[in-house]
Amino acid sequence: MSTVITPPPQILVPVLGSDAAFPVGRIFCVGRNYAAHAREMGHDPDREPPFFFAKWADAVVPTGSTIPYPAATRDLHHEIELVVAIGAGGTDIAAERALGHVWGYGVGLDMTRRDLQAEAKKLARPWTMAKSFDQSAPLSALRPAAEIGHPSAGAIWLKINGETRQSGDLADQIWPVPEIIAHLSRLVALRPGDLIMTGTPDGVGPVRPGDRLEGHVDGVGDLAVTYR
């Protein structure tokens, strides 16, 4: 069957040290998965189950990019995150089997138009335009779990212009990766190609034109982008 318009291109993320690429389907994001960040956003991490929001696949922008400062905001914020790449789909996945569905990992930024988010919260409206906008998901090359294992502890940090702004440890996650996958798979059928952004440590804050952002997750990799 022919199409009436040219189909959009498949979003591909490179695999580090390889000519291969990972095709991206959907991007799910976990909110408030580090206790200190939940508190800095005014919430009690001991009383809330995980919740999810989404970004479009074409929000992905590769590491090394120079990115235009986004429209419709004066308060763009950084959120550094471990990213999980799903290789095998499923529903109602048990936590003890969840890591068998993971293809690999990367380092990502959940860029947020914080002023739009604050206004949406105040009016009890969806966050979509605060979270899923053009080039709002900078992402490193991915590394296969078969090569690096499944990181559950290790440093995660973000620097802006060489100054550390966020610093945490994967071990501080309220919901570790297996539990995230188990919970999400009870809400939607996971598919190969899905990405899961697993939440950010505390220290989120503003990004200005001209800033260079460098992110890192121990054992996974590095990410760098510049805003203009």
Side-chain angles (χ1 to χ4, degrees):
M1 181 181 296
S2 62
T3 60
V4 296
I5 61 171
T6 301
Q10 171 68 64
I11 304 302
L12 300 172
V13 179
V15 175
L16 191 66
S18 168
D19 292 333
F22 184 91
V24 178
R26 302 171 296 180
I27 305 174
F28 298 100
C29 307
V30 184
R32 304 181 199 132
N33 195 29
Y34 290 76
H37 173 59
R39 292 188 186 101
E40 78 175 346
M41 299 302 290
H43 299 273
D44 182 350
D46 298 323
R47 300 183 61 187
E48 296 180 352
F51 73 94
F52 300 89
F53 56 93
K55 289 179 180 280
W56 318 135
D58 62 6
V60 168
V61 58
T63 183
S65 296
T66 297
I67 306 172
Y69 197 84
T73 185
R74 294 184 178 180
D75 195 20
L76 178 69
H77 276 209
H78 55 78
E79 299 189 13
I80 187 70
E81 314 211 358
L82 172 71
V83 179
V84 178
I86 297 296
T91 59
D92 200 20
I93 298 166
E96 58 268 22
R97 295 189 291 104
L99 294 180
H101 292 256
V102 175
W103 180 88
Y105 296 90
V107 183
L109 281 165
D110 168 19
M111 301 304 295
T112 302
R113 295 192 282 203
R114 193 71 75 197
D115 43 0
L116 270 63
Q117 186 187 39
E119 183 69 9
K121 287 180 178 180
K122 183 172 69 175
L123 299 173
R125 293 176 177 172
W127 295 0
T128 306
M129 290 297 102
K131 287 288 192 177
S132 189
F133 52 94
D134 296 342
Q135 299 179 308
S136 63
L139 183 60
S140 73
L142 301 179
R143 298 184 69 184
E147 173 189 322
I148 65 171
H150 297 281
S152 59
I156 175 172
W157 52 255
L158 178 87
K159 296 179 180 180
I160 297 185
N161 304 324
E163 177 186 347
T164 300
R165 297 290 184 87
Q166 291 184 263
S167 181
D169 194 291
L170 298 179
D172 296 333
Q173 290 184 335
I174 299 168
W175 297 90
V177 169
E179 294 181 45
I180 291 170
I181 292 171
H183 192 91
L184 182 57
S185 72
R186 291 195 290 270
L187 299 172
V188 296
L190 291 178
R191 305 172 190 161
D194 286 342
L195 298 178
I196 305 174
M197 303 186 78
T198 61
T200 194
D202 63 319
V204 300
V207 175
R208 308 297 184 201
D211 283 346
R212 176 174 173 80
L213 282 61
E214 298 173 275
H216 171 86
V217 176
D218 277 0
V220 177
D222 297 279
L223 165 69
V225 293
T226 301
Y227 278 85
R228 59 175 171 81

